[in-house]
Amino acid sequence: TLNPHPPNLMFPIIILALWGILMTSSICLRQTDLKALIAYSSVSHMGLVAAAIIVQTPWGLTGAMTLMVAHGLTSSALFALANTNYERTHTRTLLLVRGLQLAFPLMSTWWLLTNLTNMAMPPTINLLGELFIISTLFNWSTPTIIITGMGTLITATYSLYMFLMTQRGSISTQFQLLPPTHTREHLNLTLHLLPLGLLIMKPALVSGLFT
């Protein structure tokens, strides 16, 4: 059976998980390495998952399972996009890979969709998972809404920052002759984002284990 009131020993761990959300999200705002930014983003989301699991309620475990599946696909798609950039520019520095929308307009669409998914925009399943977790933590302790709210805001900020830094602006003169994107890369991203779009139509496939 699930214990709706975790023992006092777990309180410091929950607090550390919530504090980690703010710290790792803030670190994302000052990253210059694209892959490091994506990696810290994953740590931030897993802070939500850890806190929800420790609270031990059906909603918390449902939200944790949902967010783990959703962010697993989202983070993998972001790393795949970062790799397509690196294969062509041979750098992960954000300041050096600006303006790629001009060279790869279709890949820029993938960047936009993946970043919107990362910031849990509706109707993605990421939003469902985060709503379950935020509701669980709010029910456990009302002040947690401040930390989870700030974490959500910072997540939206660095997701937009990542998109704007890589896609907008003027492209560097050293990247004028870039090889085109391949069908396999678009298929790879389709296989990441299509399940995220379809799972919201049947979320019980990933979230119905504990409800």
Side-chain angles (χ1 to χ4, degrees), residues 44-67:
S44 172
H45 283 88
M46 289 307 103
L48 276 174
V49 171
I53 291 175
I54 295 171
V55 173
Q56 296 183 18
T57 62
W59 271 40
L61 294 177
T62 298
M65 178 65 73
T66 304
L67 189 57

Side-chain angles (χ1 to χ4, degrees), residues 93-101 164-172 175:
T93 305
L94 288 171
L95 290 174
L96 299 179
V97 294
R98 302 189 67 178
L100 292 182
Q101 180 183 4
L164 294 175
M165 287 296 292
T166 56
Q167 304 303 309
R168 306 296 294 175
S170 56
I171 192 170
S172 174
F175 299 140

Side-chain angles (χ1 to χ4, degrees), residues 82-201:
N83 186 62
T84 60
N85 283 6
Y86 182 76
E87 286 181 345
R88 289 160 177 80
T89 62
H90 303 291
T91 180
R92 300 197 304 253
T93 305
L94 288 171
L95 290 174
L96 299 179
V97 294
R98 302 189 67 178
L100 292 182
Q101 180 183 4
L102 299 173
F104 310 115
L106 183 55
M107 194 59 70
S108 181
T109 304
W110 289 120
W111 270 104
L112 177 61
L113 292 175
T114 310
N115 277 285
L116 290 177
T117 304
N118 191 53
M119 57 194 289
M121 290 290 287
T124 60
I125 200 170
N126 304 59
L127 176 65
L128 181 66
E130 290 195 12
L131 285 178
F132 270 117
I133 293 175
I134 292 173
S135 300
T136 297
L137 294 174
F138 179 75
N139 185 60
W140 172 70
S141 178
T142 305
T144 59
I145 194 66
I146 300 174
I147 298 178
T148 54
M150 290 180 62
T152 303
L153 178 61
I154 299 174
T155 299
T157 303
Y158 71 68
S159 295
L160 292 175
Y161 163 76
M162 177 164 46
F163 174 76
L164 294 175
M165 287 296 292
T166 56
Q167 304 303 309
R168 306 296 294 175
S170 56
I171 192 170
S172 174
T173 53
Q174 63 178 330
F175 299 140
Q176 292 299 330
L177 298 176
L178 294 173
T181 55
H182 304 294
T183 303
R184 60 176 172 79
E185 293 170 332
H186 295 293
L187 177 60
N188 181 22
L189 293 166
T190 301
L191 294 176
H192 278 93
L193 296 182
L194 187 61
L196 288 173
L198 295 178
L199 280 173
I200 195 62
M201 302 173 67

Side-chain angles (χ1 to χ4, degrees), residues 20-29 31 33-49 67 70-72 74-76 78-79 114-115 117-120 126 130 151-152 154-162:
I21 296 170
L22 292 182
M23 289 298 99
T24 51
S25 297
S26 300
I27 289 173
C28 290
L29 293 175
Q31 282 300 314
D33 187 294
L34 180 57
K35 285 192 175 181
L37 195 161
I38 298 170
Y40 277 114
S41 171
S42 295
V43 177
S44 172
H45 283 88
M46 289 307 103
L48 276 174
V49 171
L67 189 57
H71 188 69
T74 304
S75 182
S76 179
L78 285 172
F79 276 117
T114 310
N115 277 285
T117 304
N118 191 53
M119 57 194 289
N126 304 59
E130 290 195 12
T152 303
I154 299 174
T155 299
T157 303
Y158 71 68
S159 295
L160 292 175
Y161 163 76
M162 177 164 46

Side-chain angles (χ1 to χ4, degrees), residues 3-15 54 56 140:
N3 179 17
H5 303 289
N8 293 337
L9 184 62
M10 293 300 180
F11 290 173
I13 302 178
I14 298 176
I15 293 171
I54 295 171
Q56 296 183 18
W140 172 70

